[in-house]
Amino acid sequence: MASQVLGLEEETGPNPGESELAVNPFDGLPFSSRYYELLEQRRSLPIWAARFIFLEQLESSPSGVVLVSGEPGSGKSTQIPQWCAEFVLARGFQKGRVTVTQPYPLAALSLALQVADEMDLTLGHEVGYSIPQEDCTGPDTLLRFCWDRLLLQEVASTRGTGAWGVLVLDEAQERSVASDLLQGLLRDARLGNLPGDPRVVVVTDPALEPKLQAFWGNPPIVHVLGETGRCPTPVYRDTVPTDRVEAACQAVLELCRKEAPGDVLVYLPSEEEISLCCESLSRDGGSLEDQGPPPRVLPLHPGCGQAVQAVYEDVESGARKVVVTHWLADFSFSLPSIRHVIDSGLELRSVYNPQIRAESQVLRPISKCQAEARRLRATGILPGSCLCLYPKSFLELEAPPLPKPRLCEENLSPLILLLKRRQIVEPGECHFLDRPAPEALMQALEDLDYLAALDDNGDLSDLGVILSEFPLAPDLAKALLASCEFDCVDEMLTLAAMLTAAPGFTRPPLCAEEAALRRALEHVDGDHSSLIQVYEAFIQSGADKVWCQARGLNWAALCQAHKLRGELLELMQRIELPLSQPAFGSEQNRRDLQKALVSGYFLKAGGIGPSVLPE
């Protein structure tokens, strides 16, 4: 089998006479000249040497599971899916297609674009992607990149493998809730007992390899050597800077003045700091005219949408690219042109506290595994650098060895609701790489009970079944359902979309004019009404990007909220829930909206007097 698959590409080469005859086996069309250019680059990746071994293990693994362990930048995320597609092609597509999960929707979108280009195929046809509010697949799709939470819902609904024959769980070291639970469900299901002879490939950083090896029962492992080249020695600062953004900007400008070749990757903790850094560098870049064209500054975070592909584009003027990001690019988004890394050593994460039923933003040190992954971004033939904006002792004393599992830091109510809805397994019986605290599981069950989502036997009630249909947190879904009773569905649809999508505000106003324009969008009733007002003004502007920029709003996030609102409206119409006419701004609508919100969020209600809650 492996030798047959290898024949798909090994006999092809960049010979022009040959390229006129060689045909792409996936679509039956001749290969383009770009295919051969990219093929040469692919063959230079560290993972290419493991190609034959991987295909042999994928075919012969007794358990159907293969573990791939390698450092960031080795080519795992782009090459493994293509080899799996060749594997199922050799099977004649008789046993399913290939699905590749990613912990972040933006990573799934980016990889689909990149892999479609490398395979010389059309995005949306043979190669596609599935992310929230966007499904770019078709009946001919044989390789699909998917957000892991969407796949979890599919696996739960089918109680099997769904439509895939090979499943690639990429970036397992990120420890997302969906990735951890998918592994638990698939292990419990025992692949050998499932129809179609499915295969599972788990791709991880070497730091998590021992834990995954024990969890899956010692499956065959394919080790990928790191990138050959110079790995820079980190340079540490004596103290942590009081202004991280200013320190990062100065470090970038200093690199540009030294005319050190290569692009720059800057790690900051939050999207707000990313935006401020990009604004500052774009403003100060003009002072570098003596060193050539000013650098092209590019943000990279979940709110960027499809604009993220700009980080892969070549700069025509020869200007240096400066990519400013956070934890999103710790393991995803390999950028070969990066030669310099500036690392703040911190991350801002949302952490849920089950005791107070509240989520908070926690600024904390990254793990040692993340720090090493960031340093390796600067590995290459050309000399690079890695500047750490913190002392060496900071990492040694305060950083944990691995990233914390998100399963232990998120509200588990949506997870429990999903498990209950599909009757897969009791939450306490499911296998986890790291089992969440018992009190977190109990609190999630209690919350669902308070929301009337469970019956007396602990199974889902009729209301719970409806709540599970919505791609929302259970309390927000309950508030949306309550809006049907209080005749404020139109406003709650908008609010639910705005609360679920990426934040519409990513930074403070930069000038007095922008602050005045933003204040005009504020509503006297508070944040919830302000979000509705922002959305309505955005729609009235015709979803204009310039309008958003003038007010410091995230255009991509508002577009995402618009798509999500449409999906929620369609879902309510499909299950025949009553709708209501828009009435935002009236006193009655104000009271109705408060009642709907309290119906879902009563566990988080607080007050200073008897009149704080609506009658």
Side-chain angles (χ1 to χ4, degrees):
M1 169 71 75
S3 60
Q4 295 174 5
V5 177
L6 284 170
L8 291 174
E9 286 182 348
E10 290 297 338
E11 81 253 19
T12 62
N15 185 289
E18 228 178 276
S19 63
E20 295 177 0
L21 300 176
V23 173
N24 192 325
F26 294 103
D27 63 2
L29 300 175
F31 284 118
S32 66
S33 59
R34 177 167 175 77
Y35 169 81
Y36 293 105
E37 295 174 6
L38 295 176
L39 180 59
E40 286 303 308
Q41 297 177 19
R42 293 170 59 196
R43 285 173 171 164
S44 65
L45 292 171
I47 196 172
W48 195 266
R51 184 166 183 260
F52 183 82
I53 297 174
F54 170 76
L55 290 169
E56 287 284 359
Q57 299 285 19
L58 187 62
E59 171 65 22
S60 61
S61 172
S63 62
V65 178
V66 177
L67 187 60
V68 179
S69 174
E71 296 173 347
S74 58
K76 307 185 303 298
S77 295
T78 56
Q79 304 313 302
I80 292 294
Q82 296 183 56
W83 299 344
C84 290
E86 296 168 12
F87 176 80
V88 298
L89 179 64
R91 287 181 161 194
F93 296 124
Q94 296 176 359
K95 299 181 180 179
R97 311 295 174 92
V98 180
T99 294
V100 184
T101 67
Q102 288 292 325
Y104 309 114
L106 208 57
L109 166 63
S110 177
L111 281 170
L113 291 166
Q114 187 175 351
V115 169
D117 191 24
E118 290 186 358
M119 296 181 72
D120 210 16
L121 296 173
T122 304
L123 185 67
H125 291 270
E126 295 83 10
V127 178
Y129 61 89
S130 298
I131 59 177
Q133 294 87 58
E134 197 168 352
D135 183 21
C136 185
T137 61
D140 297 328
T141 300
L142 55 95
L143 175 56
R144 180 179 69 134
F145 291 84
C146 180
W147 186 35
D148 54 13
R149 292 210 177 194
L150 291 181
L151 184 70
L152 176 61
Q153 295 174 358
E154 293 176 12
V155 171
S157 63
T158 58
R159 304 185 192 179
T161 63
W164 53 266
V166 178
L167 173 62
V168 181
L169 299 172
D170 199 5
E171 309 294 6
Q173 75 282 345
E174 291 273 13
R175 303 303 306 276
S176 71
V177 172
S179 178
D180 277 13
L181 184 57
L182 277 168
Q183 293 186 68
L185 295 177
L186 291 169
R187 175 189 158 178
D188 292 343
R190 300 187 183 277
L191 296 179
N193 298 333
L194 296 175
D197 191 23
R199 296 286 190 270
V200 171
V201 180
V202 183
V203 184
T204 183
D205 187 87
L208 193 62
E209 178 190 323
K211 192 178 193 72
L212 289 172
Q213 185 179 14
F215 181 80
W216 284 103
N218 296 314
I221 303 177
V222 177
H223 292 98
V224 182
L225 299 178
E227 185 176 358
T228 57
R230 304 181 185 180
C231 188
T233 301
V235 176
Y236 297 94
R237 290 284 176 89
D238 294 333
T239 58
V240 176
T242 55
D243 189 336
R244 289 183 296 272
V245 174
E246 177 64 22
C249 290
Q250 290 302 319
V252 171
L253 295 175
E254 185 178 347
L255 276 173
C256 294
R257 293 189 182 100
K258 289 180 179 179
E259 299 186 10
D263 295 337
V264 184
L265 186 60
V266 181
Y267 285 97
L268 291 171
S270 67
E271 291 186 21
E272 178 180 336
E273 289 179 297
I274 290 172
S275 297
L276 292 173
C277 183
C278 290
E279 294 280 353
S280 178
L281 288 173
S282 299
R283 183 176 60 251
D284 299 339
S287 63
L288 302 171
E289 292 180 356
D290 295 340
Q291 283 78 29
R296 186 182 182 191
V297 183
L298 300 167
L300 177 55
H301 56 73
C304 291
Q306 292 202 14
V308 68
Q309 286 306 111
V311 302
Y312 293 105
E313 296 173 357
D314 295 330
V315 181
E316 295 180 359
S317 62
R320 184 197 306 269
K321 279 190 296 189
V322 178
V323 181
V324 189
T325 186
H326 57 14
W327 40 261
L328 178 68
D330 281 340
F331 302 100
S332 304
F333 300 97
S334 294
L335 306 170
S337 62
I338 296 297
R339 288 295 172 267
H340 307 281
V341 171
I342 299 170
D343 180 17
S344 66
L346 296 169
E347 63 178 5
L348 187 68
R349 289 284 197 170
S350 296
V351 177
Y352 182 78
N353 186 337
Q355 295 180 341
I356 60 174
R357 290 185 169 88
E359 194 175 74
S360 58
Q361 298 287 304
V362 177
L363 183 65
R364 64 190 186 191
I366 59 174
S367 66
K368 292 182 174 68
C369 175
Q370 290 170 277
E372 178 66 7
R374 294 180 179 187
R375 181 178 72 90
L376 291 174
R377 293 292 195 186
T379 301
I381 299 175
L382 296 175
S385 66
C386 178
L387 173 62
C388 300
L389 301 177
Y390 51 86
K392 188 175 183 180
S393 58
F394 172 81
L395 193 65
E396 294 174 345
L397 298 177
E398 299 189 39
L402 292 168
K404 294 183 179 180
R406 298 301 299 162
L407 192 67
C408 301
E409 296 188 330
E410 290 191 8
N411 183 358
L412 298 183
S413 295
L415 175 66
I416 303 300
L417 188 65
L418 176 68
L419 294 176
K420 290 284 187 181
R421 173 70 175 90
R422 306 308 178 188
Q423 299 179 347
I424 304 170
V425 66
E426 283 299 316
E429 299 174 2
C430 185
H431 285 96
F432 297 103
L433 275 169
D434 287 281
R435 181 170 293 277
E439 55 268 24
L441 289 171
M442 287 301 301
Q443 181 262 321
L445 287 168
E446 287 179 2
D447 285 358
L448 292 177
D449 189 39
Y450 291 143
L451 290 171
L454 303 179
D455 60 19
D456 294 339
N457 297 322
D459 299 322
L460 282 192
S461 63
D462 292 340
L463 176 63
V465 172
I466 298 176
L467 292 179
S468 69
E469 294 294 329
F470 287 90
L472 304 171
D475 44 12
L476 183 55
K478 177 67 179 294
L480 181 57
L481 289 181
S483 70
C484 299
E485 176 186 352
F486 298 114
D487 295 324
C488 55
V489 176
D490 186 82
E491 291 75 24
M492 269 305 306
L493 279 171
T494 299
L495 185 55
M498 290 291 285
L499 290 171
T500 306
F505 302 93
T506 56
R507 57 168 174 76
L510 297 176
C511 60
E513 181 181 1
E514 183 179 307
L517 290 172
R518 187 180 289 190
R519 277 196 301 271
L521 298 173
E522 295 177 359
H523 196 282
V524 66
D525 286 343
D527 292 344
H528 290 124
S529 295
S530 294
L531 288 175
I532 297 174
Q533 191 152 285
V534 166
Y535 176 84
E536 292 193 347
F538 170 71
I539 297 301
Q540 290 173 5
S541 75
D544 184 51
K545 194 170 186 178
V546 176
W547 182 88
C548 291
Q549 291 173 343
R551 291 156 179 78
L553 299 175
N554 188 332
W555 177 79
L558 291 174
C559 290
Q560 181 187 14
H562 180 60
K563 290 182 180 179
L564 177 57
R565 189 186 188 281
E567 285 189 6
L568 294 174
L569 177 59
E570 182 181 347
L571 177 59
M572 295 189 72
Q573 292 172 334
R574 189 170 71 245
I575 57 182
E576 299 181 352
L577 292 173
L579 304 178
S580 59
Q581 294 297 316
F584 183 65
S586 68
E587 179 62 25
Q588 182 61 43
N589 181 261
R590 173 177 173 270
R591 301 291 291 178
D592 291 338
L593 190 60
Q594 289 176 340
K595 292 176 182 179
L597 284 170
V598 171
S599 297
Y601 289 99
F602 56 87
L603 288 173
K604 299 178 182 179
I608 56 175
S611 62
V612 69
L613 297 178
E615 298 176 358

